[in-house]
Amino acid sequence: MSSSTSVIKLLIGVFTDIFADPNLLGKYGLWLAGTEKPQPQEVSRVLGAVKNQTSVTRGYAGGIQTVTIIPGDGIGPEISDAVIKIFDSAQVPIHWEERNVTAIKGPGGKWMIPPEAKESMDKSKIGLKGPLKTPIAAGHPSMNLLLRKTFDLYANVRPCVSIEGYKTPYTDVDLVTIRENTEGEYSGIEHVIVDGVVQSIKLITENASQRIAQFAFEYARNNQRSTVTAVHKANIMRMSDGLFLRKCRDVAENYKDIKFTEMYLDTVCLNMVQDPTSFDVLVMPNLYGDILSDLCAGLIGGLGVTPSGNIGANGVAIFESVHGTAPDIAGKDLANPTALLLSAVMMLRHMGLHDHAKKIEKACYDTIESETVRTKDLGGNAKCSEFTNEICRRVQDQD
Amino acid sequence: MSMTRPASSAIAFAGRRCLTMSKLIRPLFLRNRLGSTAQVFGVAGSSRRGKAWDSVSLVKHREVTMHREGDGIGPELLRHVQEVFRYSCVPVDFEVVHVNSAMTEEDDIDDAITAIRRNGVALKGNIETSHTMPPSHKSRNNLLRTSLDLYANVIHCQSLPGVQTRHRDIDIMIIRENTEGEYSSLEHEVRERERGREGERERGRGGGIDTAAWSTRKLGDGLFLQCCKEVASGYPDIAYDSMIVDNTTMQLVSKPQQFDVMVMPNLYGNVVSNVCAGLVGGPGLVPGANLGRDYAVFETATRNTGKSIANKNTANPTAMLLASCMMLDHLQLHDYAALIRSAILRTMNETRMHTADIGGQGTTSEVVQSIMRLMQGASLRSAAAF
């Protein structure tokens, strides 16, 4: 008797929670009948493989969520400040923990990120990162690479949606590139055979291919996308890309509701610049993902306006701006914070804070569309601070 | 106890390759301007044209190998090329070689390679490589390129008048390292970059840009860039710059006009050449050349087999015809090349006879007919001049 009452109580509790907080349903890709179905931009939740994730307790019921923020180098600090300011004006319940990830040499001589950064990220599980410098031949690997290895960030997700108000030759772009981020051509295994001859190894494993394919299909399902396309060059790299393709096909078997297609990399490039509307979700190994995700970013306006998210195997998600550090304009209040801001909005949706996400995103798009206050890279001549203030104003106006 | 998971790896080589400048390349660069060759080489052309029949009987004809592939649009496009050549009395004899992509033995392709060695020049359709075949079955196209050491793939992407695209005024020359994964010995010095620079100077072009993903593949691409830099220092009159490949693709879709000549390793060349071909109107419009020290093989730039549109009379013959014009220039038959090229351009621009891939409703044969009609008009006019 008592067990059934407790079950009933539990059920009632769940239902009241749902009605009290519609965001809870939205988190799982559901919505109340009669209410507005979330548009693809709104439901850009990045958490893909829900089944295998260890459940993470997050303080949704009025608690303040901690987010690790990594300002980065160059223009990083100023755009991070801009984002924090905008979030303040929207009264987002986030506590920011600022950390630095400059590589240090740990015991045993191995390069690693500072332990405070790792600790903070492991606890909060959510990170927002600005651009990091990648030194060439400086002895230590790139910081981005290090972060990826530390948190096993295996999926890089970049939704590319045409921004109304910022015109490019391509309209109505609405696609997502999902890139395997741990192996492939960027395995980092390179050596000199003899002077003048270098060998670089492209590593493709069944595990990683399986994982990324799984993620891609889950993402497609959770975000109401209809097609997943695997991009490859299996005609030339028969074994490596062949393995990748086989795993994609295997996973596709479990997702009959999603259409699965395969396309050669060169055909994708050819068609992408002629008709990008024919693509939906693209999944691919590391190198192709690197190039294609930037190509798609170029279609909607460049890295200055493209958000990006990285998902790790143990529940960590790091959202980042993917542009460079722009050392030439660093510290001059000229930077465009849009990319980091949109990545932060992606983060909010991941955390289930859809209302705040919507508000901030709308303010950002409206500001760009108004054309009065745009930063230099978007064709205007406003300062970063002016742009930020304008967005803050619009956010507050919406309340 | 963990099971060993299967893994695959592919190995990429970057070698310090030598290029000694080949005189063959210069005409290619000089004359590959659409519609502008007639003035430059008018004198030599007209005297030869007056004696068209004589040149054939004087055994001045060249032997050229033509590949016909089993399926895809290759065979029909090459037939059209033969048609056009016959019509304009081009003094070229074709030795036709069939390569069947379905066969697992390499006899077919070996015969083809022998034929090309004999003739020196070839025009080819793409040979499909099914990725369901085992890894021991090598890509036929690849075999051809590596056996003949066709180390440079050159494609010229130019905005054509009369074709609707999102970007205008594109004029990019892409030079791509063509023999992927090949081991090369130390005696070879930096040659592909040399070729790029020489070509630029001949054309009077301003700048060159190298594309590589040096940030993440520091050794391999680092070596490539190093070689480029070394060669560039020997050509101070040509501007040199380098760019990471992902940035390059982004720049290409927003501001392609900033690029002039681009040199890159094979991997990136595949991506960039397809992007550029897409920007100027698609795979049906861009010709390509595979060049080595001793041999030259011409084909469409994006190497599509076109299986889905085979034998439907809808394929665009422009790319293959322009490739044959590149071949004619290579053979020093410049006047014929100019004739055919201007006919192609005028068909595209004046008569607006377009195939489906560029938004028209014409069939392949209609386009070819239109080209031949324009050629007839042109040669009648010049014959009357004598």
Side-chain angles (χ1 to χ4, degrees), chain A residues 86-140:
Chain A
I86 294 169
F87 272 44
D88 274 344
S89 70
Q91 292 167 334
V92 182
I94 281 183
H95 162 67
W96 301 99
E97 222 170 65
E98 193 175 306
R99 289 285 180 270
N100 186 342
V101 293
T102 316
I104 56 167
K105 245 198 173 142
K110 220 174 153 196
W111 289 101
M112 54 186 233
I113 66 169
E116 314 86 56
K118 184 166 193 309
E119 234 179 86
S120 169
M121 192 70 78
D122 280 336
K123 219 171 41 193
S124 64
K125 297 288 187 191
I126 313 250
L128 184 66
K129 177 176 91 58
L132 294 176
K133 249 190 331 219
T134 296
I136 317 170
H140 61 77

Side-chain angles (χ1 to χ4, degrees), chain A residues 340-395:
Chain A
L340 192 62
L341 186 62
L342 289 178
S343 304
V345 165
M346 214 174 150
M347 178 186 80
L348 285 174
R349 296 213 164 93
H350 173 78
M351 292 161 66
L353 298 168
H354 297 283
D355 277 345
H356 291 106
K358 202 170 179 179
K359 227 189 312 182
I360 296 174
E361 191 181 55
K362 184 168 166 24
C364 181
Y365 283 166
D366 285 348
T367 309
I368 296 177
E369 198 174 355
S370 74
E371 290 185 38
T372 46
V373 196
R374 279 193 189 178
T375 46
K376 195 147 180 276
D377 60 314
L378 295 177
N381 47 18
K383 289 197 175 307
C384 177
S385 42
E386 290 167 11
F387 185 71
T388 311
N389 291 337
E390 178 65 19
I391 299 181
C392 291
R393 191 185 64 78
R394 284 180 189 267
V395 166

Side-chain angles (χ1 to χ4, degrees), chain A residues 266-282:
Chain A
D266 33 14
T267 314
V268 171
C269 289
L270 196 56
N271 295 343
M272 184 70 76
V273 295
Q274 294 180 77
D275 182 23
T277 58
S278 56
F279 294 101
D280 194 357
V281 176
L282 298 161

Side-chain angles (χ1 to χ4, degrees), chain A residues 74-75 78 327 329-334:
Chain A
I75 54 172
E78 44 196 297
I329 57 168
K332 295 184 184 161
D333 198 18
L334 292 171

